[in-house]
Amino acid sequence: MSARRSLVRTALAAAAAHGLLVGGMLVMLLPLVWMLCVSLLTSERAQSATVSGDYLKLLPTDPQFANYREALAQMSSVRWEGFRNALANSVVVTTLCVVATSLSSSLVGFAFARLRFRGRGTLFIIMLATMMLPAQVTLIPLFLLFRGLGWIDTLLPLIVPAFFGNAFFIFMYRQFIAQIPESLIEAAAMDGYGWLGIWWHIALPLCRPVTAICAVFTFVFVWNDFLGPLVFLHSDDQATLAVALNSFRNQYGGVNNVHLLMAASLVTMLPCILLFLAAQRQFIEGLGKGAVKG
Amino acid sequence: MATVELKGLGKTYTSGGSPEGVRAVRDATFSIRHGEFVVLVGPSGCGKSTLLRMIAGLEPITQGELLIDGAVVNEMPARQRDIAMVFQNYALYPHLTVRQNMAFGLERRRTHGSRLAALLSGEYRGKREDESTAIAQRVAKAAETLGLVAHLDRYPRELSGGQRQRVAVGRSIVRDPKVFLFDEPLSNLDAKLRHEMRSELRQLHRTLGATMIYVTHDQEEAMGLGDRIVVLRDGLIQQIGAPSEIYERPANRFVAGFVGTPSINLIQGRLHRGEGTAGVERFAADPLSIDLPKGRFGAAQPGPIVLGVRPDRLRIGSAAASSTWKSEATVVAVERLGDRSDVALRVGQHSLLARVAPEQAPTEGATVTVGADTSDMLLFAADDAGVRLG
C-alpha cells in the first residue's frame, strides 16, 4: 500500500516538475514563435496582427518565404551587398574572437593554475577584479586608445582584445586545470614537453568542456554584440550583422515592414540557435563540471 | 643505460612552518651502476619518493650534487634528463589511446615534427613518414613485450588496473631512456597481480639491461626486485646493500625490523661478560639466558643490549634438538598459512614468533622446546640508533 502511495507521489512530483518546465519553455519560446509567424505573413496581415492586435491572424495560412529574401536583399541601398558584407564581417570577427579567446584564456588559466611565480596570487586577484568593471566604463578610454592606434573603422578593435583573454574564462580554465592530476603534468614533462607543450597537448584537450562553454558564450556574445561595433565602426561596409540589423530597423522600422524586420532578425539569430543545439551536450557537461570542480 | 651518482643529496622544504625548514632528505650519497636495479625502500614519509623525484628533476635539489653519466644535472629540467618515470597512479593521458600514450614521448623527440613543413615539401614529408614508421614500430614492439597489442586503440579508462600499469611501463620503454624510475608502481594493484607484475618487471630489467630505480614501501617487493636496496628512514639512508645482505646483516635495529616478514624477534636484555662458561658471553633477559660464542660480537659491551633472531631461524620441537640454544616455551597461537605455519610463543614475559614447516606446527597451549643457533643471532645496541654489534 505504502509502496503504491510513494509511487503516486513520485508520479505527481514528476508531473509537477514537467509542468513547470514546459510552462517555462513556453514562456521562453513564445517571442520566438511570434517572430517566426510574423516573418511569414504578408504585409497587411502582419500589420493587423501586430498593430490592431488581431491575434487570430497571427498564424501564417499562406507562408511568405519570399519575405526572407526581400529582407536580406534590402539591408543596404545596393541589393544583397549590405547583408553579404555584414555576414562576412560577423563571421570573421566571431570566428577569430572564439578561437583567440579560447586559446588565450586557457593559456593564462594554465599559467595561473600550474606555474609558480612571484606575485601569482596578487595578479590573479587583479585579473578577477577586472570582471567587476562594466564594459561601458572602459568604452571611452578604449575608443581613445584605438583611435591613437588608427584602428577606428576597422575590425581590429573587435578582434585584437580577444587575444588577451577574458577574465571570466581565465578563471574557469584555471579552476579546471587545477583539478588535473599533478602526475599527468609531470609525466608530460618527463616525456620531454615544456610548459607550452604541456598546455597544448595535455591541458587544452582535457579542458574540452570548458572550451565548449567558452566558445559558445563568446560566439553568442560577439555575434550579438551591438555596442562595440556601433562605437568602433562607422562605414556601412564594416558593419557587423547586429549593426546592419539596426540600420535596417531605422530604415524599415515602420509598421508596414514589421514582417521583414522579423525575418531579418530571425536570420541573424539563427547561427546562435544552431550552435546551441549542436553544442548542447558538451555545454551542459561543462557547466556541470564547473559547478562540481570549480 | 647510464650511471647515477648522488653526492650528499638533500632536500629542505622551507615552507614547513619552522624557520630552518623541513629536511625531507639528508646527505644521500651512493652511486648506481650501469644496468643496475636499485630499490629505495622505507616507511611512508621517509623521503624515498622525494629522492626519486629529485633524480627525475621534478623536485629542486637543495643540497649536494646529482650526476647522470658523470655530468652534474642539478639544474637540468626534467624534460632534458632523458629519464622515464612510471607513476603510482599510472598518469596515463586520458584523452589519448594506448598507442598515442606510448608514442607521446617519441612524438616530442621527432626531428621532423612539423606537419605544415610536410605539406609544403615532399622530401620533408618522406622523412617525417620514416619517423612515423619508426615510432609505430617501437610502439608495436613494446606492446608485444607487454601483451598490449589487442588494446592499442583503447582509451585508458577502458583498461583494467594491470593493463594501465603495463601501458605506463610501455610508455617508458618505448623511449629507451637513460634511466627508468618507478614510484610505487604496483601499490594500486591487488596482491596476485602485484606478484605477477613484479616478476614481469624483473624480466623486463633483464631484457633491457637498463638502469632502474624503484621506490616502494613494501620490503617484500624491494627484496624481490632489487639488485641492491637502499633503506631510508626519516630522510636518512640506513643501509645500502644486496637483499641478502640487508636481511642477514642489517645495519641497525630499524633495518632488521623493517626487512623480513614476519618481523624479526627482538628481545631486550643485558650482556654479561666472563660470567658464562669459558669462551662465552651471556645474554640474559629473565628467564632467557643465552650463551654466545666470544668474539663473534666483538663490538658489544656489557650492559643493556637487544638480541634479534629471525622467525624462520627459530626451530621448535624435535627440530630444535640440535640447536646451540634451547628453551621451554608455551605455544600461544598457531597461524596455518598452507605452505608454512607461524607459531606465537611465550617464554616468561618475552613473545617470540617462529615460522616453521606445517607438519612441525604444535597445538595451541602446548609446551614445546624452542631453539636457535647462536650463529643466527644478531646483537644491537639498546640506544635509539640501535646499531648492529655483530
Side-chain angles (χ1 to χ4, degrees):
Chain A
M1 193 64 192
S2 74
R4 197 167 156 189
R5 196 175 296 163
S6 83
L7 206 72
V8 171
R9 199 176 296 162
T10 320
L12 276 178
H18 276 85
L20 211 67
L21 287 173
V22 169
M25 189 189 72
L26 285 178
V27 171
M28 295 287 172
L29 273 181
L30 200 66
L32 206 66
V33 174
W34 190 89
M35 279 175 82
L36 182 68
C37 289
V38 173
S39 73
L40 292 170
L41 296 176
T42 58
S43 177
E44 298 79 48
R45 271 178 78 98
Q47 271 181 60
S48 42
T50 51
V51 182
S52 29
D54 192 351
Y55 290 117
L56 283 178
K57 291 196 174 162
L58 206 56
L59 281 180
T61 42
D62 169 29
Q64 304 288 309
F65 292 107
N67 285 352
Y68 282 84
R69 203 174 51 217
E70 206 46 38
L72 300 181
Q74 283 185 23
M75 257 193 192
S76 66
S77 42
V78 184
R79 278 180 75 83
W80 288 108
E81 195 187 280
F83 175 68
R84 258 200 311 260
N85 273 339
L87 181 66
N89 289 338
S90 275
V91 167
V92 167
V93 170
T94 310
T95 311
L96 284 176
C97 279
V98 165
V99 174
T101 306
S102 309
L103 289 181
S104 57
S105 302
S106 65
L107 185 61
V108 179
F110 178 75
F112 275 127
R114 290 297 171 180
L115 266 59
R116 290 185 208 307
F117 52 91
R118 199 185 288 269
R120 179 170 76 157
T122 319
L123 273 178
F124 188 61
I125 287 170
I126 293 175
M127 196 270 312
L128 283 185
T130 63
M131 281 204 301
M132 315 301 165
L133 279 179
Q136 291 83 346
V137 172
T138 54
L139 204 60
I140 292 171
L142 274 179
F143 182 84
L144 296 176
L145 175 74
F146 292 138
R147 195 182 58 183
L149 291 167
W151 286 2
I152 296 302
D153 207 21
T154 69
L155 295 180
L156 290 174
L158 304 179
I159 297 167
V160 173
F163 283 86
F164 293 90
N166 168 301
F168 177 69
F169 297 128
I170 291 173
F171 174 72
M172 268 190 87
Y173 272 112
R174 192 203 91 113
Q175 298 304 91
F176 199 84
I177 292 170
Q179 305 288 331
I180 296 176
E182 182 70 27
S183 59
L184 277 189
I185 310 285
E186 290 177 346
M190 306 283 311
D191 268 339
Y193 290 81
W195 286 119
L196 269 180
I198 295 173
W199 164 70
W200 179 252
H201 290 286
I202 306 294
L204 206 50
L206 290 179
C207 281
R208 245 177 61 188
V210 183
T211 305
I213 293 189
C214 176
V216 172
F217 271 15
T218 309
F219 184 94
V220 173
F221 177 78
V222 176
W223 188 265
N224 292 333
D225 186 24
F226 178 66
L227 193 61
L230 191 70
V231 171
F232 298 125
L233 308 174
H234 301 149
S235 349
D236 279 349
D237 60 349
Q238 296 287 352
T240 59
L241 268 179
V243 175
L245 188 68
N246 186 53
S247 22
F248 181 84
R249 191 182 62 91
N250 290 339
Q251 231 171 326
Y252 302 95
V255 278
N256 41 356
N257 281 321
V258 70
H259 59 302
L260 295 185
L261 183 60
M262 288 308 125
S265 302
L266 262 179
V267 170
T268 311
M269 281 172 63
L270 202 62
C272 292
I273 297 172
L274 290 181
L275 180 76
F276 219 88
L277 289 179
Q280 201 189 169
R281 235 170 87 198
Q282 283 273 330
F283 191 69
I284 290 168
E285 187 189 343
L287 279 182
K289 279 209 171 126
V292 175
K293 293 194 171 179
Chain B
M1 278 219 299
T3 58
V4 179
E5 260 176 278
L6 288 75
K7 289 186 179 168
L9 212 60
K11 174 77 190 176
T12 307
Y13 290 105
T14 43
S15 56
S18 62
E20 68 271 18
V22 176
R23 303 190 72 182
V25 176
R26 278 177 284 176
D27 196 30
T29 303
F30 61 94
S31 38
I32 299 167
R33 294 185 297 272
H34 280 296
E36 197 177 13
F37 199 133
V38 169
V39 181
L40 308 180
V41 69
S44 52
C46 70
K48 55 191 188 298
S49 281
T50 309
L51 195 54
L52 192 79
R53 292 169 57 80
M54 283 198 282
I55 298 172
L58 299 173
E59 204 74 68
I61 294 165
T62 51
Q63 291 98 31
E65 276 186 338
L66 172 70
L67 291 86
I68 295 176
D69 272 344
V72 178
V73 295
N74 281 31
E75 300 300 324
M76 189 187 275
R79 66 193 147 95
Q80 288 169 11
R81 291 193 189 183
D82 194 16
I83 290 177
M85 181 151 161
V86 177
F87 291 82
Q88 183 173 6
N89 61 358
Y90 319 136
L92 300 179
Y93 311 119
H95 59 296
L96 301 180
T97 61
V98 169
R99 189 191 303 278
Q100 289 166 331
N101 258 289
M102 284 164 74
F104 192 70
L106 295 175
E107 292 287 346
R108 175 72 188 91
R109 283 167 177 77
R110 272 174 184 272
T111 45
H112 296 80
S114 165
R115 292 197 179 93
L116 186 67
L119 275 177
L120 299 176
S121 146
E123 191 194 352
Y124 188 94
R125 186 160 58 243
K127 285 180 181 159
R128 196 182 140 79
E129 277 164 11
D130 289 348
E131 252 172 9
S132 301
T133 318
I135 291 176
Q137 278 169 353
R138 279 166 79 167
V139 169
K141 196 172 156 221
E144 204 173 319
T145 313
L146 294 161
L148 287 169
V149 178
H151 309 297
L152 276 175
D153 293 311
R154 293 202 190 168
Y155 285 93
R157 59 174 177 273
E158 300 166 337
L159 303 177
S160 69
Q163 288 164 341
R164 284 180 207 183
Q165 187 54 66
R166 282 200 180 102
V167 178
V169 173
R171 192 169 63 181
S172 309
I173 62 175
V174 289
R175 270 181 44 200
D176 191 21
K178 281 185 181 169
V179 184
F180 287 83
L181 305 181
F182 297 87
D183 191 3
E184 309 217 18
L186 306 184
S187 56
N188 288 347
L189 303 178
D190 62 54
K192 185 167 173 280
L193 205 54
R194 198 152 61 219
H195 211 85
E196 275 173 35
M197 280 304 288
R198 215 151 80 189
S199 63
E200 277 183 39
L201 280 178
R202 190 74 232 173
Q203 212 174 329
L204 194 70
H205 176 245
R206 243 198 334 269
T207 325
L208 299 175
T211 310
M212 293 184 174
I213 308 175
Y214 189 104
V215 159
T216 179
H217 64 272
D218 180 349
Q219 51 87 20
E220 214 176 295
E221 205 167 288
M223 300 287 276
L225 279 170
D227 294 329
R228 267 196 309 159
I229 295 177
V230 178
V231 186
L232 284 132
R233 180 200 195 186
D234 296 336
L236 270 174
I237 293 177
Q238 304 291 309
Q239 189 173 5
I240 305 174
S244 58
E245 187 186 339
I246 299 261
Y247 186 79
E248 303 286 349
R249 304 178 60 76
N252 55 39
R253 226 162 54 217
F254 169 78
V255 177
F258 187 77
V259 173
T261 323
S263 198
I264 191 168
N265 295 299
L266 292 172
I267 306 161
Q268 306 266 358
R270 292 187 74 82
L271 187 71
H272 302 281
R273 182 152 290 170
E275 289 177 17
T277 35
V280 299
E281 292 168 310
R282 174 161 294 166
F283 172 81
D286 189 52
L288 285 175
S289 171
I290 304 172
D291 286 337
L292 304 167
K294 217 170 197 147
R296 180 156 133 60
F297 304 102
Q301 292 302 313
I305 208 152
V306 178
L307 181 138
V309 57
R310 298 241 174 238
D312 58 350
R313 304 293 159 87
L314 280 180
R315 291 187 286 261
I316 52 179
S318 55
S322 60
S323 301
T324 47
W325 164 77
K326 284 189 282 280
S327 173
E328 292 296 302
T330 316
V331 178
V332 180
V334 179
E335 207 176 329
R336 290 170 202 282
L337 301 166
D339 60 334
R340 61 192 190 267
S341 293
D342 286 347
V343 183
L345 302 160
R346 183 157 278 279
V347 184
Q349 80 272 30
H350 305 288
S351 295
L352 292 173
L353 193 85
R355 171 163 281 192
V356 297
E359 63 275 8
Q360 291 173 357
T363 49
E364 288 178 7
T367 303
V368 293
T369 309
V370 58
D373 287 333
T374 50
S375 58
D376 288 332
M377 292 178 184
L378 303 165
L379 281 188
F380 301 98
D383 58 4
D384 285 343
V387 176
R388 184 170 55 82
L389 304 166

